Amino acid sequence: MSKQQISKYPVPALTDVPEDVRDMMLAVQEKAGFIPNVFLTLAHRPEEFRAFFAYHDALMLRESGLSKAEREMIVVATSGLNHCQYCVVAHGAILRIYAKNPQIADQLAVHYSRADISDRQKAMLDFAVKLARTPEAISESDHAALRDHGFDDEDIWDIGAITAFFGLSNRMALLINMRPNDEFYLMGRLPPQPEKKRPGG
Amino acid sequence: MSKQQISKYPVPALTDVPEDVRDMMLAVQEKAGFIPNVFLTLAHRPEEFRAFFAYHDALMLRESGLSKAEREMIVVATSGLNHCQYCVVAHGAILRIYAKNPQIADQLAVHYSRADISDRQKAMLDFAVKLARTPEAISESDHAALRDHGFDDEDIWDIGAITAFFGLSNRMALLINMRPNDEFYLMGRLPPQPEKKRPGG
Amino acid sequence: MSKQQISKYPVPALTDVPEDVRDMMLAVQEKAGFIPNVFLTLAHRPEEFRAFFAYHDALMLRESGLSKAEREMIVVATSGLNHCQYCVVAHGAILRIYAKNPQIADQLAVHYSRADISDRQKAMLDFAVKLARTPEAISESDHAALRDHGFDDEDIWDIGAITAFFGLSNRMALLINMRPNDEFYLMGRLPPQPEKKRPGG
Amino acid sequence: MSKQQISKYPVPALTDVPEDVRDMMLAVQEKAGFIPNVFLTLAHRPEEFRAFFAYHDALMLRESGLSKAEREMIVVATSGLNHCQYCVVAHGAILRIYAKNPQIADQLAVHYSRADISDRQKAMLDFAVKLARTPEAISESDHAALRDHGFDDEDIWDIGAITAFFGLSNRMALLINMRPNDEFYLMGRLPPQPEKKRPGG
Amino acid sequence: MSKQQISKYPVPALTDVPEDVRDMMLAVQEKAGFIPNVFLTLAHRPEEFRAFFAYHDALMLRESGLSKAEREMIVVATSGLNHCQYCVVAHGAILRIYAKNPQIADQLAVHYSRADISDRQKAMLDFAVKLARTPEAISESDHAALRDHGFDDEDIWDIGAITAFFGLSNRMALLINMRPNDEFYLMGRLPPQPEKKRPGG
Amino acid sequence: MSKQQISKYPVPALTDVPEDVRDMMLAVQEKAGFIPNVFLTLAHRPEEFRAFFAYHDALMLRESGLSKAEREMIVVATSGLNHCQYCVVAHGAILRIYAKNPQIADQLAVHYSRADISDRQKAMLDFAVKLARTPEAISESDHAALRDHGFDDEDIWDIGAITAFFGLSNRMALLINMRPNDEFYLMGRLPPQPEKKRPGG
């Protein structure tokens, strides 16, 4: 499977991208063990690449009333309804790891209505899915429903902005036929291995 | 996760179901290593249970121009669009095994448009998805498109009948909140292990 | 009109179908005065034929909190929204007879919202239509709404399973262009005739 | 059934409506044997009544490349998709009579795709249904498709204007819960009776 | 822009239309300063023209619990959702003038949910939009919601009938590619000019 | 109108935003004569603000096979279908200016199908609208249709990425009830004034 094209567009060699872009790629490779294809494929346009990841990090790394797992739940649930293979597979992997739950991503990708989530998380996804699919229908009563579940206004901005950003991401991935790395499919599905004693450890 | 309810309805004990129903359950357990929850939950009504599995086997086990993997592709692609957790997870597992492909089910569950399938299979799923979601729109030109890809009339009946049967199955699963067995999530995702020498083997 | 094809697929002669299939046909002919085309056309595949009618009878003939007329209401209302000519015409006839009401089927075929039905029946069809068209949207609150109208859990299974089964039936009919018998169009529309004295009676 | 309300709004007595309105009612009664409820219920507002029937007659009585049966086909097919009980039942009756076909209305009310109509009529209804449901999608290529079937520009205006007028009519009927007269349900379903010799005739 | 066709159909010269039709055109020209294209283009069929404007005037000029601006709000909001260029542009102009508000039409054309309108007007448009887009879904509870906002039954008829009439109008405009006059685009956008002293005034 | 809230969220004073954010605001004020509310309202979160405008500028200011007017056409047409008041009003103004056409934005906001645009631009918007509303349906044949109209692969990326970015922008605006500045409503609607001699000029 690894021979498949990862984009309809040219994918630049690491040696051909601007230094700051390459540094970002090497940093993620250091951490994840491989470079996710969203980095490789969007590097075709460095300026948009920088804005994309700056936006991503501003939303996904900030302090928030939402846990990291909850933010990934939004990504997987809305990307499923937007039918984006890349985001479901890649962020499904990340969600499994953050949530320490090997089933949650597959459940949310099908539909959040039967997933193993709390009522609060269900309310969060009601809002996200509505904004993703019929944005004009979001009204004050939807904000109020979230506040009833303990989300504050900044949390609601987070829910909405993550939904909005991954709506962009889904469309970019579908535009260029972005292909998820093979590595994502299995990540977070196996129970953590007992750490082996390293030689000399 | 194994403590979760597998149905909104009572699940009979194996000792309480009619003998023929129990025999079917034991046969599948023998083969799969566990009893899929669709057997346990539908056994609440033995008559419907018998008809359900008779229908299933008539479609899924018969000689056909469709391979077993292709039949499961129909199940996974239409169940994804019908948002049925049980069928996507359980038949996703079966598809991975038949197709010997650990990625194909996750791809089809999101949408068949970007899955690693042949043009012939894409045509097959065009038809299945149309029948699943806007059945009145199926016309002679859709049949003709399948014949152009080498499907004969019996193959087309298979495609349509599998779609129709799993439309029923999806609705039953959503009606009773049927929960997939934990085992399905990982099946077919790992490369086959080299068989270990058994002690005394 | 009687010269029209009743299926896109070959329709076997009575002499060519397995004996048990033929017996079922003769039994219905004895009772109804003619063989409904669903028997003739599905006999093309005897195994699926047997499962189909076993499923049908398990749902439509069992003891239930739903009257036989109410079960046919579900069939007509959901088949109307699924645009299935065969099921609307054939089950519309059966509904007129069970309900002793010559108007109810035409009303439900258009939409259940203006039909002459009770509030309890309207609730029943709210659930059935939701399961038929947006099955993932069915939630515990929909079950609760039915219980508020006096339906118990087994009645709800009946409502859901009949909807699911006729969703299959609708798709099979649309797949093969199943044509309703001419007889159905007028059945149950005329007031019952005073029984004439038979010669020698 | 005759005791049911025929409108959510007051229905004026014949003695209370303006003379020209009453004259129209008596004329239709003379011809049809009863006053269709659309006359009785819309008479609540005489000015709108006059405009409504003037528009109706301008479209339905004019010389046209469309036969009267074809015009009623448009009414029944689009009213079915708009879920208007009054128009499907009342115009279904008229269509059966014009087409001398007891089945055509029930078929078109479910969906025009499987009705016993010519390819030319199918093209006519493709256009009508598109204009009824997604009017912005009508484009020059849809006009061209009709011209390919021998419709001229005035015929196309007729198809479109009848669709548009009955879209209004459907919404008025649904607004006021207009109920069809009992008489419509059976009209045109029975073969014409051989005229009996009247006593002294 | 003034050279663009205003209809797919022939537009009759003023000298060629029946006298009463011409008189209506000259009257509106006298009042508005130009003849709106809906008059010129529909004059292709004088009988329908007369019925159309009789209907229009019966609804838009009658005494009503709805102000003239509110009636135009219904036209603009529903025509926006029906994607009718002519009605949005022409009635948007009229609305700006009646409401003495240069922004309201552009807001309603996009969606009424964020427009500067009262809660009562929002309830009015909830009803109108539902009737325009999913007419079968209108039920007694929708009527009740309007009565809660102080609308009486005649006001509700007005809301529904205006929606229904402009659904017709939208479809006619889309059918014939009716083009709005250039004049409409700017009407009501500029603050009223201080009246200049006329020579000799 | 100027007293209306421009966001559901706090709008920071210019003195309270980071210097680089303030500099961007002052620069746009210098150029446009006022600060568009998208700057004021998104400044509530400076990091996201920076990423948003970096992305915007990367797409809207770059060299491209699409003219600036064409890029704004994409924004207005897709924002209309997404029902985003802010983007339709603000980018409608910008489009009128770039296209030197006072009508084009109002036309595109209603629907691109009847707008005064070239066939090439219509193809561009076919693609954009499909990606905006049913992104999974975009396939190689849609890319091919654009290439047939002379767009190269980089132009197609521009069309897709602008659509994706404004899908994000629409959702942010609907999330926070972003209100367009009063100034936008009239911009580009009046013919350019002959420059008056300034006093002492």
Side-chain angles (χ1 to χ4, degrees), chain D residues 76-94:
Chain D
V76 174
T78 59
S79 298
L81 291 173
N82 285 339
H83 304 293
C84 176
Q85 186 189 98
Y86 185 87
C87 294
V88 167
V89 172
H91 287 271
I94 300 172

Side-chain angles (χ1 to χ4, degrees), chain C residues 63-128:
Chain C
E63 283 295 300
S64 165
L66 277 61
S67 71
K68 289 201 173 170
E70 286 171 339
R71 288 178 245 187
E72 296 294 336
M73 285 178 188
I74 297 171
V75 182
V76 175
T78 59
S79 298
L81 291 173
N82 285 338
H83 304 294
C84 176
Q85 187 189 98
Y86 185 87
C87 294
V88 167
V89 172
H91 287 270
I94 301 171
L95 170 56
R96 284 190 293 271
I97 289 170
Y98 281 142
K100 298 184 201 309
N101 179 333
Q103 300 186 352
I104 188 69
D106 292 354
Q107 294 172 355
L108 287 171
V110 176
H111 202 268
Y112 73 102
S113 67
R114 266 78 179 169
D116 294 327
I117 54 176
S118 67
D119 283 353
R120 181 181 178 273
Q121 289 163 345
K122 209 158 266 184
M124 174 184 83
L125 296 177
D126 283 337
F127 189 96

Side-chain angles (χ1 to χ4, degrees), chain E residues 32-118:
Chain E
F34 63 97
I35 305 177
N37 290 340
V38 65
F39 287 84
L40 293 168
T41 58
L42 293 188
H44 176 60
R45 291 209 177 169
E47 268 195 272
E48 296 167 37
F49 175 103
R50 291 181 192 110
F52 182 92
F53 288 105
Y55 218 137
H56 176 277
D57 290 355
L59 292 169
M60 303 304 273
L61 305 181
R62 78 189 295 270
E63 285 294 301
S64 165
L66 278 61
S67 71
K68 289 202 174 169
E70 284 171 339
R71 287 180 245 188
E72 296 294 336
M73 285 178 187
I74 296 171
V75 181
V76 175
T78 59
S79 298
L81 291 173
N82 285 337
H83 303 295
C84 176
Q85 186 189 98
Y86 186 87
C87 294
V88 167
V89 172
H91 287 271
I94 301 171
L95 171 56
R96 284 190 294 270
I97 289 169
Y98 282 142
K100 298 184 201 308
N101 178 333
Q103 301 185 354
I104 188 68
D106 292 354
Q107 293 173 354
L108 286 171
V110 176
H111 202 267
Y112 72 102
S113 67
R114 265 77 181 170
D116 294 327
I117 54 177
S118 67

Side-chain angles (χ1 to χ4, degrees), chain A residues 55 59 127 131-132 135 138 143 154 156-166, chain E residues 114, chain F residues 6-9 38 41-45 48-49 52 82 84 86-87 164-179:
Chain A
Y55 217 138
L59 292 169
F127 189 96
L131 187 66
I138 286 286
H143 288 256
E154 294 306 315
I156 299 175
W157 179 301
D158 286 342
I159 296 169
I162 291 168
T163 301
F165 178 76
F166 281 92
Chain E
R114 265 77 181 170
Chain F
I6 64 169
S7 171
K8 281 179 93 78
Y9 283 81
V38 65
T41 58
L42 294 188
H44 176 59
R45 292 210 177 167
E48 296 167 38
F49 175 103
F52 181 92
N82 285 338
C84 177
Y86 186 86
C87 294
F165 177 77
F166 282 93
L168 175 156
S169 186
N170 294 165
R171 284 170 179 81
M172 285 308 300
L174 286 160
L175 174 71
I176 69 172
N177 283 1
M178 194 186 292
R179 184 181 176 83

